[in-house]
Amino acid sequence: MNDTTGFLFRKPEGVPCTVYLPRDSEPNGTILFLHGRGECGTDSTRSLLVGLPRWLMLEPHRWPFAVVIPQKPEELLPWHHYEKAVMTHLDAAISDHNLDDNCVAITGLSQGGNGAMRIGAAFADRFRAVVPVCGFPRFFHTEPESEDAAIVAEVADTLADSPVRIYHGEADDVILPEESIKLHKALQERGSSAVLELYPGVNHNSWDKAYGESDLAEWFAEILAR
């Protein structure tokens, strides 16, 4: 077995990280993946059980990308609290594995969807595409509701010219679909071509449809190949 491909565990330094490299091909770009609340911790493994990492295992042929998978230690702190560590892991993966710094996208689910929105906007010049899944702009545990509109506007202002796809279950009672709808509306108002996919009858787990059943992998390949 080639130990320089597959899931490679980086030594934990506050924020653990796993880097995935496809076994049978050169990476077709790099994706930064941010997990949800249930995968928080410091064990470097729970972050691989849900969302995109699961589909890297089930259908690796559909996902010929390098994927950087940090693990958020604290459930009640937002991903953007750890953005310095996240971006350091991304930079290290690009450097260590000779990846193209100009072909990077960001995605995440639930709390990671919040992270994809916020870190994607904070470093919009680094990401060719931003894809939040069942995400939300304001982090409920730390930011007052009164700041919601300003955060939505800030994210939409920054990402208006970026390729954006947003996925959400219409029956989601954990993170209401209105969270994605309001960001999509704000993006549209700024002339964005962002796409919103709402899944009828689907509760919080819209990630299996997004990563496993949609054409997202093919879309990433097209975006990252430009």
Side-chain angles (χ1 to χ4, degrees):
M1 179 182 295
N2 187 342
D3 62 3
T4 61
T5 61
F7 290 93
L8 311 176
F9 295 93
R10 294 178 57 83
K11 183 179 178 181
E13 295 179 0
V15 175
C17 186
T18 305
V19 177
Y20 170 83
L21 297 175
R23 295 186 184 278
D24 299 322
S25 65
E26 290 297 315
N28 186 15
T30 300
I31 299 172
L32 174 60
F33 171 76
L34 305 179
H35 62 72
R37 176 173 178 170
E39 295 74 61
C40 291
T42 56
D43 62 357
S44 298
T45 57
R46 293 175 69 185
S47 56
L48 306 182
L49 300 178
V50 175
L52 178 53
R54 177 171 180 264
W55 290 96
L56 298 177
M57 300 178 205
L58 292 175
E59 296 184 343
H61 60 283
R62 290 190 60 235
W63 294 93
F65 310 96
V67 184
V68 180
I69 311 164
Q71 186 179 28
K72 184 163 72 74
E74 297 290 337
E75 292 182 357
L76 299 184
L77 288 177
W79 270 108
H80 53 274
H81 176 83
Y82 298 101
E83 66 180 29
K84 181 178 179 180
V86 168
M87 298 305 290
T88 296
H89 279 306
L90 176 62
D91 290 338
I94 289 171
S95 176
D96 291 349
H97 303 290
N98 196 30
L99 304 172
D100 188 342
D101 190 38
N102 295 312
C103 297
V104 184
I106 184 171
T107 185
L109 64 89
S110 196
Q111 284 192 2
N114 171 264
M117 292 179 191
R118 303 292 288 274
I119 295 178
F123 297 89
D125 60 325
R126 293 292 307 276
F127 300 110
R128 285 200 180 183
V130 178
V131 181
V133 179
C134 57
F136 50 98
R138 173 179 64 91
F139 198 75
F140 305 124
H141 302 296
T142 62
E143 295 171 313
E145 188 172 358
S146 60
E147 294 184 10
D148 186 61
I151 292 170
V152 171
E154 181 180 357
V155 171
D157 284 343
T158 308
L159 297 181
D161 295 327
S162 299
V164 175
R165 281 195 176 190
I166 305 170
Y167 297 88
H168 217 118
E170 283 190 345
D172 194 334
D173 58 7
V174 178
I175 304 298
L176 298 181
E178 284 74 18
E179 296 294 331
S180 287
I181 291 169
K182 66 187 176 187
L183 177 60
H184 182 246
K185 180 180 178 182
L187 286 164
Q188 285 188 313
E189 289 171 349
R190 289 157 176 80
S192 170
S193 59
V195 173
L196 171 63
E197 181 76 34
L198 296 174
Y199 294 118
V202 173
N203 202 310
H204 195 43
N205 180 1
S206 51
W207 49 82
D208 279 339
K209 285 191 171 294
Y211 298 120
E213 298 181 20
S214 78
D215 66 344
L216 180 57
E218 293 74 18
W219 184 77
F220 271 138
E222 179 182 352
I223 292 294
L224 294 177
R226 291 177 182 173

